[in-house]
């Protein structure tokens, strides 16, 4: 038997479960896993496309090295800009005594 004190301690999901119902799922709860799986599929497809490309192995490896190096350079530049922005926002500006 459920008394008033235990009902007060229950949250919405517990009460709905007690009568055999559940909360309606949000659109984002349904959409985000689908988009994640789609993105993973795109990455796997792109990787397989690169590996199965009609290029000689040496040329393909050189292309991949260049792309990875440019991606690493881009990330380093982005991290540097973000850290500079954070440092600029974190340092107090000099105040003028007038």
């Amino acid at each position: 038997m459920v008394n008033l004190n235990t009902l007060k301690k229950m949250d919405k999901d517990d009460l709905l479960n007690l009568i055999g119902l559940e909360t309606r799922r949000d659109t984002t709860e349904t959409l985000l896993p689908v988009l994640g799986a789609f993105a993973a599929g795109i990455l796997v497809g792109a990787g397989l496309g690169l590996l199965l490309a009609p290029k000689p192995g040496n040329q393909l490896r050189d292309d991949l090295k260049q792309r990875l190096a440019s991606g690493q350079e881009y990330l380093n530049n982005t991290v540097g800009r973000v850290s500079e922005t954070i440092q600029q926002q974190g340092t107090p500006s000099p105040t003028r005594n007038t």
Side-chain angles (χ1 to χ4, degrees):
M1 180 110 208
V2 178
N3 61 22
L4 187 58
N5 288 332
T6 56
L7 282 176
K8 287 181 182 178
K9 293 178 184 177
M10 290 184 169
D11 64 350
K12 173 182 69 169
D13 291 327
D14 292 334
L15 290 174
L16 287 173
N17 191 22
L18 186 64
I19 60 173
L21 298 174
E22 62 182 27
T23 56
R24 179 178 286 175
R25 288 178 46 162
D26 198 359
T27 304
T28 56
E29 291 176 349
T30 306
L31 189 61
L32 287 179
V34 172
L35 288 176
F38 182 71
I42 287 175
L43 290 175
V44 168
L48 287 174
L50 284 174
L51 292 176
L52 299 175
K55 287 185 178 181
N58 291 337
Q59 187 179 2
L60 181 62
R61 283 190 293 273
D62 289 340
D63 288 347
L64 287 175
K65 285 179 189 177
Q66 289 175 355
R67 288 182 185 183
L68 289 174
S70 66
Q72 185 178 12
E73 181 180 335
Y74 173 78
L75 284 175
N76 288 336
N77 291 338
T78 303
V79 168
R81 281 184 281 155
V82 169
S83 64
E84 286 175 8
T85 304
I86 290 172
Q87 287 176 353
Q88 289 174 356
Q89 291 176 354
T91 57
S93 61
T95 57
R96 290 187 207 172
N97 294 333
T98 55

